[in-house]
Amino acid sequence: MKIIAGNWKMNGSRENLVNMVAALQNIETENTVVLCVPYTMLGVTSDNIALGAQDVSTHDHGAYTGEVSAQMVADTGAKYTIVGHSERRQYHGETNDIVRQKAASALAAGLTPIICVGETMDEKQAGKTMEIIESGVRESIPNDVNGKIIVAYEPRWAIGAGLTPTDEEIAAAHKLIADTLSDIGLDGTPVLYGASVKGSNAAQIMSIPNVDGVLVGGASLKPDDFIPIITSVK
Ligand code: 13P
């Protein structure tokens, strides 16, 4: 059983989500399917997929215009939230420290945070991939994890670029993440791979050791692209 999570980023409409939910209604799968959608689409109900947000505030409530708290996300019935996505780190200056606070807020609200880590092209070229991944895991996960978390490895240089690391690179990154999670007492935490996942490469990627599922961007937007990913693995 794998976790297949979609990240719609700033795309789609409620109508698109209703259509996706309908299209997924009769899919035979034992995989867990999650769609992380814009806040405005949360609250659409579905029997077989869970919804998530793409970010939460570090704050619970208060004078923070434009922010949405984890509690508010949970209030819509959503079960998950992404934190520390590459685009939040890139465009909003989110550091591991901020991501850890957001993950803690999510856990306190009963949400499962999907905590993203991964290296930029500059970091990769400087030979720092492993260092960035390990510090990302150690620094972005709260000290007291009193609930379920998911980690997502997203090589930032590969996102939306149609590029994927080699199987060996994915295997090495996921082994490091699994070992680091074990070292901090979080054995068994699911680790997803994300960046340019599509129907044609999903099964292969999910056959790599320590890859417990995928976090899919562009190919999660349309049922014709997303369903083959969901059904590519048992
Ligand atoms: P793509 O699948 O479009 O490369 O996006 C990956 C991603 O950022 C998922 O969070």
Side-chain angles (χ1 to χ4, degrees), residues 20 36 39 75 84 92 94 100 113-114 122 150 165 208 210 229:
M20 177 66 87
C36 296
Y39 294 128
D75 193 37
H92 300 271
E94 293 191 7
R100 189 178 64 249
I114 302 173
D122 283 354
I150 295 174
I208 297 170
N210 301 305
I229 298 174

Side-chain angles (χ1 to χ4, degrees), residues 7 9 82 85 87 116 154 158-162 194-197 215-219:
N7 172 10
K9 308 191 179 186
I82 296 171
H85 189 273
E87 287 141 23
C116 300
E154 295 208 313
I159 292 175
S196 302
V197 174
L215 180 54
V216 186

Side-chain angles (χ1 to χ4, degrees), residues 86-209:
S86 167
E87 287 141 23
R88 300 294 312 175
R89 292 177 186 260
Q90 182 177 352
Y91 303 129
H92 300 271
E94 293 191 7
T95 58
N96 288 338
D97 193 38
I98 291 172
V99 175
R100 189 178 64 249
Q101 293 174 50
K102 292 186 170 196
S105 296
L107 283 164
L111 297 175
T112 298
I114 302 173
I115 302 169
C116 300
V117 299
E119 77 285 3
T120 62
M121 184 54 98
D122 283 354
E123 289 161 347
K124 178 179 168 62
Q125 285 173 342
K128 290 187 172 165
T129 297
M130 292 292 148
E131 187 186 316
I132 293 294
I133 292 172
E134 183 171 351
S135 59
V137 172
R138 289 190 188 276
E139 295 170 15
S140 303
I141 295 178
N143 289 335
D144 295 322
V145 173
N146 53 346
K148 212 179 127 207
I149 67 165
I150 295 174
V151 172
Y153 169 55
E154 295 208 313
R156 296 172 59 180
W157 51 271
I159 292 175
L163 300 170
T164 43
T166 63
D167 287 0
E168 290 71 28
E169 286 172 321
I170 296 176
H174 279 254
K175 166 117 181 37
L176 173 64
I177 294 170
D179 288 348
T180 306
L181 286 165
S182 172
D183 189 49
I184 59 176
L186 294 172
D187 263 319
T189 297
V191 183
L192 313 184
Y193 168 81
S196 302
V197 174
K198 40 191 190 289
S200 56
N201 63 12
Q204 171 60 24
I205 289 171
M206 284 188 272
S207 73
I208 297 170

Side-chain angles (χ1 to χ4, degrees), residues 41-52:
M41 297 172 208
L42 295 176
V44 168
T45 51
S46 163
D47 295 337
N48 54 350
I49 62 167
L51 293 186

